[in-house]
Amino acid sequence: MTCTCPDFVYRGGKCKHIQATRYYLEIEKDIPQGVVTEKVHLTYKQAWDAYNDAQKAEVKLI
């Protein structure tokens, strides 16, 4: 991973932005033995009623 912040550019290594992204995507934890990452799969509910209404309205516009 790369970042354009001054910390990453001048110091190298993981900056706070990279750490935050890794934490958000993988739940990164520091433990005495090292760093442990666990992949978390994000899922979202689909608002099917709103989706269907939008599709119907779009057909009327054509």
Side-chain angles (χ1 to χ4, degrees), residues 20-43:
T21 302
R22 288 182 56 82
Y23 177 78
Y24 177 76
L25 294 176
E26 300 184 45
I27 306 299
E28 185 173 283
K29 300 175 187 173
D30 290 324
I31 61 172
Q33 295 81 14
V35 176
V36 175
T37 57
E38 299 173 359
K39 188 70 173 175
V40 175
H41 297 284
L42 303 176
T43 59

Side-chain angles (χ1 to χ4, degrees), residues 4-5 8 10 12 15 20 23 25 27-28 34 38 40 43 48-50 52 57:
T4 58
C5 76
F8 181 82
Y10 297 118
C15 64
Y23 177 78
L25 294 176
I27 306 299
E28 185 173 283
E38 299 173 359
V40 175
T43 59
W48 288 112
D49 291 334
N52 290 335

Side-chain angles (χ1 to χ4, degrees), residues 44-56:
Y44 303 95
K45 291 184 177 182
Q46 177 67 39
W48 288 112
D49 291 334
Y51 176 82
N52 290 335
D53 291 342
Q55 292 295 309
K56 291 176 188 174

